[in-house]
Amino acid sequence: MAIAKEQLQQIIADNDIKSVGDIYSLFKDSFKDMLQELLEAELNASLGYEKNKKEVTDTDNKRNGYSPKTVKSQFGQLTLDIPRDRNGEFEPQIVPKYQRDISGIEEQVISLYTRGMSTRDIHDQLHDLYGIELSADMVSKITDKILPEIKEWQSRPLEPVYPFIFMDAIHYKIREDGRILNRAAYVVLGVSLDGDKDILSISIGANESSKFWLGVLNDLKNRGVQDVLFFCVDGLAGFKEAIHAVYPQAEVQRCIIHML
């Protein structure tokens, strides 16, 4: 809902706004006031009457003061007064019980996950920063929500022609069932006819091999890549043969870094 220019001018004058920081503080205070009013409205609906205006109702339940609660929001920490009822029946929805983060907890978990943090790391990070107890199992359930997006990205159609494609594997270690295992992330970077760089594929294997690369190349072909002028790769045995099995006309160059 847009605010009229005259209203904005009045808000600026009434709150002595002189900087971006003042605007941020105003938003924070206004957001807190709005949440507080919504909590009061929720209790009104639960009890069936507004504060100080009790009429004949079907309930003998009454207001029973407030409990302070500090939550994290997109504007920083806020301290709210959560209204209570005598019978303990009130369950606020705008700020649910036991929830200390109202800024979009799932978005934060996914953000940490995409940075390579384990479920245990994410749990510890959220607990240390915000005091949120989120089990590793719940973190896994949240991060599972991005799997369809990952699969969609992995299978998206590609350009028919790429002048250059760079292929290499990044090696790293993971912990699985109490053991430390080696893994290889097969990364394919393409340069389009317009000169734009794009990560075409990232696949995970136990270790780097020309046989796995052959599967990656066939996947590129199935996703629409019909021709590649130059491949830039390392000196892995069988790599050149795997490329020519799928793209027989392509030139294969040794990466200068690997040559050095």
Side-chain angles (χ1 to χ4, degrees), residues 36-51 53 57-59 61 63 83 85 89-93:
Q36 195 66 56
E37 288 300 317
L38 287 170
L39 287 167
E40 296 289 352
E42 279 193 301
L43 183 58
N44 290 344
S46 176
L47 295 177
Y49 66 92
E50 296 182 12
K51 188 175 182 180
K53 293 184 180 180
T57 62
D58 295 332
T59 178
N61 200 4
R63 284 173 168 76
D85 64 318
E89 299 171 352
F90 177 53
E91 294 281 349
Q93 300 300 311

Side-chain angles (χ1 to χ4, degrees), residues 15-83:
N15 293 275
D16 193 27
I17 294 176
K18 297 179 180 178
S19 67
V20 174
D22 292 338
I23 296 174
Y24 186 85
S25 297
L26 176 62
F27 282 158
K28 181 177 180 180
D29 293 339
S30 299
F31 183 59
K32 176 182 176 180
D33 292 341
M34 186 179 296
L35 285 177
Q36 195 66 56
E37 288 300 317
L38 287 170
L39 287 167
E40 296 289 352
E42 279 193 301
L43 183 58
N44 290 344
S46 176
L47 295 177
Y49 66 92
E50 296 182 12
K51 188 175 182 180
N52 301 323
K53 293 184 180 180
K54 184 176 180 181
E55 299 172 355
V56 178
T57 62
D58 295 332
T59 178
D60 59 355
N61 200 4
K62 299 180 180 180
R63 284 173 168 76
N64 190 32
Y66 297 87
S67 296
K69 180 176 183 177
T70 300
V71 296
K72 180 184 178 295
S73 76
Q74 58 185 321
F75 299 109
Q77 285 195 338
L78 302 173
T79 300
L80 300 171
D81 293 320
I82 308 298

Side-chain angles (χ1 to χ4, degrees), residues 161-165 193 227-231 249-252:
V161 178
Y162 287 90
F164 297 95
I165 282 185
L193 291 171
D227 194 13
V228 179
L229 301 186
F230 295 94
F231 281 93
Q249 304 302 320
E251 292 288 338
V252 181

Side-chain angles (χ1 to χ4, degrees), residues 83-227:
R84 301 182 311 220
D85 64 318
R86 183 169 295 179
N87 296 345
E89 299 171 352
F90 177 53
E91 294 281 349
Q93 300 300 311
I94 188 68
V95 182
K97 284 185 177 180
Y98 313 117
Q99 184 169 331
R100 296 281 177 177
D101 190 305
I102 57 174
S103 60
I105 183 65
E106 292 191 357
E107 287 78 3
Q108 293 188 44
V109 170
I110 289 175
S111 175
L112 293 172
Y113 179 72
T114 57
R115 296 176 190 177
M117 298 181 69
S118 68
T119 55
R120 176 56 57 186
D121 292 335
I122 294 172
H123 166 272
D124 294 343
Q125 182 89 345
L126 292 174
H127 182 269
D128 291 344
L129 290 177
Y130 311 129
I132 300 172
E133 281 292 345
L134 201 65
S135 68
D137 180 61
M138 180 57 69
V139 172
S140 295
K141 289 180 180 178
I142 292 174
T143 53
D144 282 348
K145 290 187 176 183
I146 68 172
L147 292 180
E149 297 180 31
I150 293 174
K151 291 179 180 179
E152 181 180 356
W153 180 85
Q154 289 176 328
S155 60
R156 75 195 191 282
L158 300 174
E159 298 292 330
V161 178
Y162 287 90
F164 297 95
I165 282 185
F166 298 83
M167 305 174 73
D168 201 0
I170 300 172
H171 300 270
Y172 61 97
K173 297 182 183 295
I174 66 167
R175 183 184 298 274
E176 186 175 291
D177 298 328
R179 298 181 300 160
I180 303 298
L181 304 176
N182 293 318
R183 288 289 182 267
Y186 293 73
V187 182
V188 181
L189 185 149
V191 180
S192 71
L193 291 171
D194 295 327
D196 297 324
K197 295 179 181 178
D198 186 19
I199 298 296
L200 308 183
S201 172
I202 301 178
S203 306
I204 306 301
N207 48 58
E208 187 177 11
S209 68
S210 58
K211 182 178 180 180
F212 195 101
W213 274 120
L214 179 61
V216 172
L217 289 159
N218 279 316
D219 179 64
L220 294 178
K221 191 87 168 185
N222 292 333
R223 291 166 58 196
V225 181
Q226 298 302 313
D227 194 13

